Amino acid sequence: MKRTHFLYSFLLAGVVLGGTACKKSFLTAKPEGTTLESDYYQTPAQAYAGMVAAYNPLGWTVVSSYSPLTVELTLASDEAYAGGGSSSDMTGFQQWNTYTLSSATPNILADLWSRNFTGIARVNTMLEKIGNVPGLTSDLKTRYTAEMQFLRAYYYFDLVRLFGNVPLITHVLGQSEWFTQVQAKPADIYAQIEKDLNAAIPNLPATVNTATDGGRATKGAAQALLGKAIIYENNTSRMQEAANDLKQVNTSPNYALLANYASIFDPNNKFNSESIFEIVHTSAGGKSWGNWPNFDGNVGVQMVGPRGYSGPTFESAAAGWSFCPITPDLVAAMKGDPRYSATIANIDSLAKAGKCTYTPGYMNTGYFIRKYAPLTANQGTVGNIELNWPNDEIEIRLADTYLLEAEAQVRGGGDQARAQSLLDAVRARVGLASVPATLDNIYNERRLELATEGHRWFDLVRTGQAPTVLAKKGFKAGTNEILPIPLQELNNTKLVQNPGYN
């Protein structure tokens, strides 16, 4: 009987796998080799290594595809096209861009499924083992447990938004259960997400030492994720509840909007006051292609740079692979906005002015992502440059939670003055005047403020705008709001395909 990738992820929960090494981060812990789970979790050091292993899938940028989810969500939205070298370059990217996905689509589906279910499997193992680790203090048991609850909520939040109908697994599966899992209703997944986050919040630290623990979950990250999850459930009667959760973050003295918008994305400014939850990457690992797929850097940075680039103006350290060329729609929407230059690089105009050269890739528009572009100042000094970009993925930041709370206040009939002040704060940071805090204005502000950061596709889907906005890409209402279940997950299991993909 053939085992599926999903089940293999849960089988691997019986081992502790090496974590990603990140300079000046708690992720520097690297369990040596592969240790059988039955012989592990016998010391505090092993418990720590198990905790690191549960975080490890967050930073996966390469399994069979080449990029973090941020890149994939950007090209699936109206912000960018797939790009690359040709119409067959990264087939999964091309098919999501044109909404021709099927259960057999290579690369992308299996990666997204595997990343999150591997994380859940490692979390479940930790939660079952943590209470019996000799010598582990009660304080560490409490913190590790809260971190695992946060991570399980995070992984399931990705899964339910991406695939909709997924198995709900909160314990280590026995062999007899491997092929008998069924899909849960999305409402049940969200209920578990909320349960885990509500349990985690009281026991997570308000802050961490970013020099040693940067990237670990905090109380603010869990509160923000809880508010986001409730909003995504789309129940108007609960919007005030979401607003209250987000307000806890937005009024916390631990966070503040940065005065300089562009500095948010500078990899030399990691864990800044606007960052609420950040996935760590580093160039210090010096990885080469022989290390596939265990790279510590952010390969997505390499993907979005202009192909064959040469010239000092853009400061590109290495020619990129020209994925995610920015659409004319986003360029037009951002023209005149103070955030334009930190978001979009107009390489075509530089080339026409004779200041650089580059090779136009597939679906080239001449406009490229600037927020996490491959800049000379950020390149690593060891290993293959293209694999070792240090740019972190800022999963949740304060402007995001400001705008989400403003939305929740308006939708829930809450504090309209507060919604206005939150929207005003985001705009004032970049020198823009106040506009009324209507839903349309809040959604438009999210589009501009968070462009190319991986939020737009989810926003279009959850607000019902996707069938209209993405129609020209081929988006089909009632089908493309979620992805197909990967074909290999359907073989020899009780899982069924999502509607529209049979």
Side-chain angles (χ1 to χ4, degrees), residues 7-20:
L7 296 171
Y8 185 58
S9 295
F10 274 83
L11 179 62
L12 284 179
V15 301
V16 176
L17 303 179
T20 300

Side-chain angles (χ1 to χ4, degrees), residues 162-178:
L162 290 168
F163 294 101
N165 306 291
V166 297
L168 178 57
I169 302 171
T170 58
H171 67 282
V172 177
L173 295 181
Q175 186 172 353
S176 63
E177 300 175 280
W178 289 352

Side-chain angles (χ1 to χ4, degrees), residues 477-499:
T479 296
N480 297 132
E481 289 84 356
I482 52 178
L483 304 178
I485 306 297
L487 180 62
Q488 60 267 42
E489 310 305 334
L490 302 173
N491 296 331
N492 306 312
T493 72
K494 293 187 176 182
L495 305 187
V496 299
Q497 187 54 272
N498 283 328

Side-chain angles (χ1 to χ4, degrees), residues 294-356:
N294 300 308
F295 304 137
D296 310 320
N298 186 344
V299 182
V301 171
Q302 177 69 24
M303 296 195 71
V304 303
R307 184 174 292 263
Y309 179 88
S310 177
T313 306
F314 187 56
E315 296 184 324
S316 180
W321 297 333
S322 69
F323 287 93
C324 285
I326 299 295
T327 62
D329 285 350
L330 181 58
V331 173
M334 295 206 71
K335 276 292 175 72
D337 189 283
R339 293 162 289 202
Y340 179 96
S341 61
T343 304
I344 297 172
N346 186 347
I347 301 302
D348 208 38
S349 67
L350 295 177
K352 289 176 180 177
K355 296 180 179 180
C356 74

Side-chain angles (χ1 to χ4, degrees), residues 72-363:
E72 295 156 359
L73 290 170
T74 298
L75 64 86
S77 75
D78 60 339
E79 296 178 324
Y81 301 122
S86 69
S87 61
S88 61
D89 195 353
M90 295 301 298
T91 301
F93 292 179
Q94 307 299 334
Q95 290 185 4
W96 200 355
N97 178 59
T98 57
Y99 290 91
T100 53
L101 292 160
S102 73
S103 61
T105 293
N107 309 122
I108 202 167
L109 301 176
D111 282 4
L112 295 174
W113 187 277
S114 175
R115 180 249 199 178
N116 291 298
F117 271 118
T118 299
I120 291 166
R122 295 181 183 185
V123 164
N124 289 343
T125 299
M126 269 291 286
L127 288 173
E128 291 195 7
K129 294 293 183 179
I130 196 67
N132 298 313
V133 176
L136 190 65
T137 67
S138 59
D139 286 349
L140 283 177
K141 288 179 183 178
T142 297
R143 181 179 179 184
Y144 289 173
T145 297
E147 288 181 274
M148 295 305 103
Q149 291 163 332
F150 170 84
L151 286 174
R152 186 162 61 189
Y154 172 93
Y155 290 129
Y156 263 123
F157 189 47
D158 260 8
L159 284 168
V160 74
R161 291 184 298 166
L162 290 168
F163 294 101
N165 306 291
V166 297
L168 178 57
I169 302 171
T170 58
H171 67 282
V172 177
L173 295 181
Q175 186 172 353
S176 63
E177 300 175 280
W178 289 352
F179 300 97
T180 61
Q181 298 304 302
V182 296
Q183 287 136 301
K185 297 177 181 178
D188 294 333
I189 301 294
Y190 276 110
Q192 182 63 47
I193 290 169
E194 290 188 40
K195 179 180 178 181
D196 276 336
L197 291 172
N198 279 315
I201 287 169
N203 298 315
L204 287 170
T207 61
V208 298
N209 181 341
T210 57
T212 57
D213 287 348
R216 291 179 74 171
T218 61
K219 188 184 302 291
Q223 290 169 327
L225 187 57
L226 178 58
K228 290 185 71 144
I230 295 173
I231 288 176
Y232 274 76
E233 291 178 67
N234 220 21
N235 183 340
T236 302
S237 67
R238 298 190 65 200
M239 285 297 146
Q240 195 56 52
E241 184 180 348
N244 292 339
D245 289 321
L246 292 162
K247 186 176 181 180
Q248 295 298 310
V249 182
N250 295 336
T251 58
S252 168
N254 298 317
Y255 307 108
L257 295 177
L258 296 185
N260 182 346
Y261 179 79
S263 67
I264 297 169
F265 315 102
D266 185 347
N268 295 307
N269 194 29
K270 297 186 180 193
F271 311 115
N272 57 66
S273 66
E274 190 160 338
S275 176
I276 297 171
F277 186 60
E278 194 163 326
I279 295 175
V280 182
H281 293 288
T282 182
S283 59
K287 296 300 177 66
S288 65
W289 287 102
N291 298 115
W292 179 283
N294 300 308
F295 304 137
D296 310 320
N298 186 344
V299 182
V301 171
Q302 177 69 24
M303 296 195 71
V304 303
R307 184 174 292 263
Y309 179 88
S310 177
T313 306
F314 187 56
E315 296 184 324
S316 180
W321 297 333
S322 69
F323 287 93
C324 285
I326 299 295
T327 62
D329 285 350
L330 181 58
V331 173
M334 295 206 71
K335 276 292 175 72
D337 189 283
R339 293 162 289 202
Y340 179 96
S341 61
T343 304
I344 297 172
N346 186 347
I347 301 302
D348 208 38
S349 67
L350 295 177
K352 289 176 180 177
K355 296 180 179 180
C356 74
T357 60
Y358 80 104
T359 303
Y362 179 61
M363 306 185 82

Side-chain angles (χ1 to χ4, degrees), residues 335-399:
K335 276 292 175 72
D337 189 283
R339 293 162 289 202
Y340 179 96
S341 61
T343 304
I344 297 172
N346 186 347
I347 301 302
D348 208 38
S349 67
L350 295 177
K352 289 176 180 177
K355 296 180 179 180
C356 74
T357 60
Y358 80 104
T359 303
Y362 179 61
M363 306 185 82
N364 179 62
T365 64
Y367 297 94
F368 293 82
I369 292 174
R370 180 62 174 80
K371 285 181 178 176
Y372 43 101
L375 303 184
T376 301
N378 302 332
Q379 74 178 95
T381 58
V382 289
N384 289 84
I385 291 175
E386 64 269 25
L387 305 177
N388 291 286
W389 294 103
N391 306 59
D392 285 1
E393 300 161 66
I394 306 176
E395 285 283 278
I396 308 174
R397 63 182 178 89
L398 196 59

